[in-house]
Every structure is written in structure tokens, then in C-alpha cells.
Amino acid sequence: MSINDIFKESWLSISGNKVRSFLTILGIIIGVMAVVIMMSVGDAVQKQVTGQFAALGTNTIMIRAGASQTSGVRTMSGMNTLTIQDAEALGQLPDVEYITPIRSTSGTLIFGNRNWGASALASYPTYQQIQNIEMEHGTFFDMSAVRNASTHVVVGPTVAKELELGDNPVGQVIRMNGVPLVVIGVTREKGGAGFSNTDDMIFLPITTLQKRIQNSRFPNSVPQIVLRLNANADNALAVEQITQLLRERHRLRDTDRDDFQITDMKQVMETMNTVTGFLRMLLMAIASVSLLVGSIGIMNMMLVSVAERTREIGIRKAIGARESHITIQFLSESVLISFMGSMLGFILGVVLSQTLLPKVMDMAVPLNIWSVFLSIGVAGVVGIASGVMPARKAAKLNPIDALRYE
């Protein structure tokens, strides 16, 4: 028999019991569809997380102030343990390209009869380079504004829209906590990055926030310092240098713990990639259970088919059919069922992952090219694995006993 004849007979056998064949194929459809969707979900989550941390920059290091500790005893203080002078000193390290102290607050912004609650981030102008902030209108503030505590402010596009500042808000005056601030620029729309949305923020000199808006008792203390390293810098070595310098400046003894916390975004991103990788494997494992159930369904159907066609097998063997012919016939039926289920499952998985998932997850869902190879592989592996035992059972039947079977 030719391959064409084998598959024609396989199709006649499968179509002979449409309901049973459909239910068996449905198990493979659901299994492959689940795998394709889960792969897409895993890729989408990993891409989203990686994109957020990449926006912060893998060569970015964040230093947060912590409670000071002396001789193992934690002492709480109203002052932050980091200062503007610490930031200036860290800026002299050889691998540091940009650095800025940061202080943030939130409040209500007022313009005319409009008001909007937003976050205010106070820093040096180098924050623009560290976070890759682009300008839509105007400019970012400069160091002279920091030295003079100028009432200059840069607003995000969401703030400009909600306050109805007009097409070009440069020159408009908004108020925060009763303090008038002159808009000198509007940032380009960027969206959320990490744990904040720069579109819904205002940016102003750190001295302006400390001296004019907050009236801080400790104008030199800051809760956070952010720096960006040179492109070829060694992050681990830079973290060691930062730690050593800050401990020396804070006069910490060997027995004292650090009174600051350092977050290396490169290390965080690597950790998140590992976590999302495990998440993808978990999703794949869950979806693979459906494939296992589908393969068991194929095996069950083929075993029933062998029992129903015992006399047919006896007749075939009596007129000269070899065991290999019988084996190939039943294996081809199993592979054909698996192939049809895999292809339909792949098509449904792609359609759902590209139409429904983006709406549900509110993010772009990539199509994983490996799902194509997976579908083809599943069609062969599941079909053969599920059909081997029934095919061998059919091939080993004694033709005399098979002919007597009722």
C-alpha cells in the first residue's frame, strides 16, 4: 500500500465514527490551544517586566536612606541618612556618569478653576539624562535653577491635559501648596516605567521643593540618590565603591550596618528574568496536562478501535498482511487524529492570543514562533506515543483467533 492509500483508509476509519473522533480530536485541540496561549502569556509578562526595568536602565543604581544603626541598636531619626553632599561625593567616582539627589511629594496642582492631584519629583537636571526624558515643549530646568531655588517646573503631558494648560503650556503659572510655579517645559509622552508614570508627574529643582514648598528643617537631607554608570562600567565593582564611600562619609564602624540601601537595576532585572522564566515553565507545565489528557484520549480510542476491528485485522493477516502493515495502519490513524487536533488547536490559540488576550491583559501579546514547531512536534510525538501500544496489540493478534472473534 502507498502512503496515499494508508491515509485514505485512516480517514475512512476516523470518519466512520464522527462523534467519537471529534471528542478525541477536541482533547488535542484544547491541549495545544492551552499551550500556545500560555506561551504567549508568559512571553507577554516577561516582555512587560523587562521593558519596565529596561526603561529605568540596567546601568542605573538607586540608593535609599535607611535608619542608622549603632552597635547593633537601631536608632530612629527625623533626618534622612543621605545628604546632597553624599550625592556630590558619589558623583566623583570614576564610573559614575550622572547623579542626582531625589526628593518627592504629592499634592494638588491648581490652574484657574482646574485642579489635579499629582506627584512632584525634585532633583538635579541630570535626572533627565538618567531617565531618558524627552521634551515635547520647552526645556528642562538647569543647575542655575537648582542653585537659586527657582520656581521653574516641568510638567508631564497628563498633568498638562488635566489642568487644560493649552497646546503650548510654556509660561503658564500653576500653584502647588499655594506656591506659584512657572511652567518651562512639557515632557514627551512616555507611559509607565517601573513603579511610576512620568506622564502624570511634575519635575522641579530639589532646592525649590525643600525651601519653598516643604520648608524642610533639614534642607540637605534626601531620601534617595540615583546615579547612572558609564556604559562599560562594572556594576558589582561600582556598588562596592559606593558602599565604601558612604560608610566612610557616615563614619560607620566595622560592626555597624549600612544606614542606606543600594538597588542595582541590572541585578534586579536579572532576578526578574529568572522569576518570569520560572513562571513561563509553570504555565507550560499546567498547559501540558491538557496535552497528556488528550493523548490518553487518543490511546483509548485506538484501543477501542482495535477491539472493534479484530475480525478485519484477522482477514488482513489471513490474506498476507504483515505485522508491519497493521502497525503502520493504526499508527497513521493515531498520527492523523493528533495532526488535525494540533493544527486546529494552534490556529485557535493564535487567534485567541492575538485578539482576546491583548484586551484582557491590556498589553501587547507577542506570537511565540516556537509554538509553530511545538504544534508540529505534538502532532507527531503525541500521535506516535498514543498509537504505539494499540498498533502493536493489533499487529500481534493471532489471525485464527481474530477470525473467530464476534
Side-chain angles (χ1 to χ4, degrees):
M1 294 176 65
S2 66
I3 295 178
N4 189 38
D5 292 333
I6 291 173
F7 278 101
K8 277 185 179 179
E9 282 210 27
S10 299
W11 174 251
L12 289 174
S13 176
I14 293 171
S15 59
N17 195 325
K18 294 182 176 61
V19 175
R20 185 174 67 188
S21 299
F22 170 74
L23 293 176
T24 304
I25 293 173
L26 184 62
I28 298 298
I29 290 175
I30 294 173
V32 173
M33 181 179 67
V35 171
V36 171
I37 291 175
M38 290 301 183
M39 289 179 70
S40 297
V41 170
D43 288 346
V45 172
Q46 187 173 41
K47 184 178 180 181
Q48 181 76 1
V49 172
T50 302
Q52 288 182 343
F53 282 100
L56 296 174
T58 55
N59 58 345
T60 301
I61 292 179
M62 298 181 179
I63 309 168
R64 288 183 171 84
S68 60
Q69 299 193 15
T70 305
S71 299
V73 179
R74 183 180 293 271
T75 58
M76 300 303 294
S77 171
M79 295 180 58
N80 290 311
T81 55
L82 296 176
T83 64
I84 291 179
Q85 288 73 24
D86 287 335
E88 298 288 349
L90 291 172
Q92 303 302 315
L93 291 176
D95 289 331
V96 175
E97 184 177 13
Y98 298 109
I99 191 164
T100 178
I102 288 179
R103 181 181 286 272
S104 60
T105 187
S106 59
T108 302
L109 305 175
I110 300 174
F111 177 73
N113 62 350
R114 301 284 298 177
N115 63 79
W116 180 251
S119 299
L121 189 142
S123 66
Y124 282 178
T126 48
Y127 187 80
Q128 180 184 11
Q129 286 77 29
I130 293 174
Q131 294 296 327
N132 300 314
I133 296 175
E134 298 180 359
M135 303 300 298
E136 187 70 28
H137 301 289
T139 61
F140 213 78
F141 59 85
D142 54 21
M143 278 305 296
S144 65
V146 175
R147 288 191 293 269
N148 300 324
S150 300
T151 55
H152 292 169
V153 66
V154 177
V155 301
T158 302
V159 175
K161 177 182 177 182
E162 295 295 335
L163 291 180
E164 297 181 356
L165 297 179
D167 295 335
N168 189 352
V170 175
Q172 301 283 12
V173 178
I174 62 176
R175 305 181 75 86
M176 182 176 187
N177 293 352
V179 178
L181 302 170
V182 180
V183 177
I184 63 170
V186 181
T187 63
R188 184 165 296 172
E189 186 174 352
K190 187 177 182 180
F195 306 102
S196 63
N197 187 348
T198 56
D199 294 346
D200 195 16
M201 298 175 66
I202 66 171
F203 307 91
L204 65 160
I206 190 168
T207 50
T208 303
L209 179 66
Q210 291 173 319
K211 296 179 181 179
R212 296 181 183 270
I213 297 177
Q214 291 185 328
N215 294 318
S216 175
R217 295 171 51 199
F218 311 105
N220 288 328
S221 66
V222 291
Q224 186 177 358
I225 296 173
V226 178
L227 58 88
R228 191 172 83 180
L229 303 175
N230 296 315
N232 58 350
D234 185 337
N235 286 42
L237 178 60
V239 169
E240 291 181 6
Q241 294 174 344
I242 292 169
T243 302
Q244 182 179 355
L245 179 59
L246 287 178
R247 288 185 63 85
E248 290 175 358
R249 288 186 56 82
H250 296 180
R251 297 184 174 86
L252 297 177
R253 293 176 294 184
D254 294 339
T255 56
D256 295 335
R257 295 184 180 180
D258 297 338
D259 58 357
F260 52 86
Q261 300 173 6
I262 299 177
T263 302
D264 181 2
M265 296 309 300
K266 182 177 181 180
Q267 185 177 5
V268 171
M269 187 171 177
E270 290 174 353
T271 302
M272 291 306 300
N273 281 334
T274 302
V275 172
T276 53
F278 281 122
L279 174 63
R280 290 178 63 193
M281 292 176 61
L282 177 62
L283 293 175
M284 284 287 294
I286 294 173
S288 297
V289 174
S290 300
L291 275 178
L292 178 62
V293 173
S295 64
I296 293 174
I298 294 178
M299 183 181 296
N300 181 61
M301 175 183 170
M302 296 308 300
L303 287 172
V304 172
S305 180
V306 170
E308 290 178 345
R309 296 159 63 187
T310 300
R311 284 182 61 84
E312 175 192 331
I313 296 168
I315 293 172
R316 284 172 178 263
K317 298 190 76 172
I319 62 177
R322 299 176 183 174
E323 290 187 3
S324 60
H325 295 158
I326 304 297
T327 301
I328 291 173
Q329 183 61 53
F330 279 88
L331 274 179
S332 65
E333 292 179 20
S334 177
V335 170
L336 184 58
I337 291 173
S338 180
F339 181 79
M340 289 190 293
S342 298
M343 292 303 103
L344 289 173
F346 170 72
I347 293 171
L348 286 175
V350 170
V351 171
L352 291 176
S353 65
Q354 298 303 304
T355 56
L356 184 61
L357 282 183
K359 297 178 182 178
V360 174
M361 301 178 66
D362 193 24
M363 66 174 70
V365 178
L367 175 61
N368 194 312
I369 190 63
W370 287 106
S371 60
V372 179
F373 299 104
L374 176 69
S375 301
I376 297 173
V378 165
V381 174
V382 171
I384 293 173
S386 303
V388 165
M389 189 172 74
R392 287 180 61 83
K393 181 178 179 181
K396 295 295 182 182
L397 283 175
N398 188 305
I400 298 176
D401 294 335
L403 288 171
R404 291 175 177 173
Y405 183 81
E406 294 293 339

